[in-house]
Amino acid sequence: MITTSAQQLTAGQLTGQNTDHLVSHQQHLLHKDMQPAFAALQQAAQLAGFDLQLASAFRPFERQLIIWNNKFNGLRPLLDSNSQPLDASTLSELEKVEAILRWSALPGASRHHWGTDVDVYAKNCLPANTSLQLEPWEYQTNGHQAEFNQWLSAHMGKYGFYLPYAEDKGGVALEPWHISYHPISQTLQQQLTLDLLYHTLSENDVAGKSQILKNLDSLYTRFITNTCEV
């Protein structure tokens, strides 16, 4: 049973700036009260013939900030909803912010900060000499992760996991690899308030900050709380 205290995180923990709530798992960090459920899911996958591995787990604020700033400043590509490159020179600052948010969270607002949300794949389904891209086609019909994705969708709920981005609702794009531990993450999403996020962003050197803060209400509604139900 997950206790109420286990579901409460400090502001630093919620925004990826403190790791006291995490434990190590196969060279990654997970929420201490999610780790046993994830280990059980891994074991079940192994019995079904899938080597379920983590592509990404906890991600600190600093790492999310680098990803964000590199995308905004043109050091990493911006992608459209079909994972195709966008010409950033044709976009306004707000349009760049919205394009980034389709695939990458604001620093301080990533669900990966909590340790309850992870990106997964079946290592034994990945073809030789192929790098995982974490793009929807890999998990869809004829993709190398399609069979694993079918198994995951059918069984993860038994262990408390669900897909917060199971469909494209006009905010974050479809992410069939991103699973979340619902017993804890549902509460943490409520704790990540607009005020907390505004304060966190205000105190840090986030590219495009003026436009982000000016439009934070609508961005928060579209990209942070706009998730799929269990």
Side-chain angles (χ1 to χ4, degrees), residues 2-224:
I2 305 300
T3 65
T4 301
S5 60
Q7 296 182 26
Q8 302 294 322
L9 293 187
T10 66
Q13 291 168 339
L14 279 169
T15 57
Q17 299 174 86
N18 185 292
T19 60
D20 291 349
H21 59 301
L22 306 173
V23 294
S24 179
H25 182 90
Q26 298 177 343
Q27 300 182 328
H28 291 270
L29 293 176
L30 303 177
H31 191 293
K32 61 185 178 181
D33 295 304
M34 178 272 246
Q35 189 274 336
F38 183 75
L41 178 65
Q42 273 190 311
Q43 184 176 26
Q46 192 70 43
L47 291 173
F50 300 105
D51 182 15
L52 192 163
Q53 295 295 324
L54 290 163
S56 180
F58 168 75
R59 189 179 303 137
F61 178 90
E62 294 79 7
R63 176 59 183 158
Q64 196 68 31
L65 181 63
I66 290 171
I67 293 171
W68 180 273
N69 286 352
N70 283 349
K71 287 190 174 185
F72 192 90
N73 294 322
L75 300 178
R76 294 180 64 165
L78 297 184
L79 303 178
D80 65 15
S81 297
N82 297 313
S83 301
Q84 298 303 307
L86 287 168
D87 182 357
S89 67
T90 67
L91 304 178
S92 67
E93 285 200 353
L94 180 57
E95 287 172 335
K96 284 201 290 185
V97 166
E98 292 173 336
I100 297 170
L101 284 170
R102 289 285 283 162
W103 298 103
S104 297
L106 283 167
S110 173
R111 298 174 67 100
H112 285 281
H113 294 333
W114 309 339
T116 60
D117 287 54
V118 295
D119 299 335
V120 298
Y121 71 108
K123 186 175 182 180
N124 60 325
C125 294
L126 189 66
N129 303 315
T130 300
S131 296
L132 186 70
Q133 302 299 311
L134 289 182
E135 294 184 359
W137 67 266
E138 296 174 296
Y139 292 75
Q140 295 168 346
T141 304
N142 297 325
H144 51 76
Q145 298 295 312
E147 187 177 357
F148 165 66
N149 185 45
Q150 290 179 346
W151 179 89
L152 185 67
S153 297
H155 296 278
M156 63 182 168
K158 302 173 188 176
Y159 303 90
F161 293 93
Y162 80 111
L163 296 169
Y165 309 120
E167 59 182 280
D168 188 343
K169 300 180 68 175
V172 176
L174 173 68
E175 292 191 352
W177 53 83
H178 181 139
I179 65 173
S180 177
Y181 188 55
H182 184 261
I184 302 177
S185 64
Q186 63 170 339
T187 302
L188 301 187
Q189 180 168 302
Q190 296 170 1
Q191 290 178 37
L192 184 66
T193 63
L194 188 61
D195 286 345
L196 173 57
L197 184 55
Y198 189 97
H199 179 73
T200 301
L201 294 168
S202 297
E203 290 190 329
N204 288 277
D205 187 16
V206 181
K209 181 163 64 175
S210 62
Q211 283 296 318
I212 294 169
L213 295 180
K214 181 180 178 181
N215 295 278
L216 192 57
D217 282 21
S218 60
L219 296 175
Y220 180 84
T221 300
R222 179 181 173 189
F223 294 101
I224 297 173

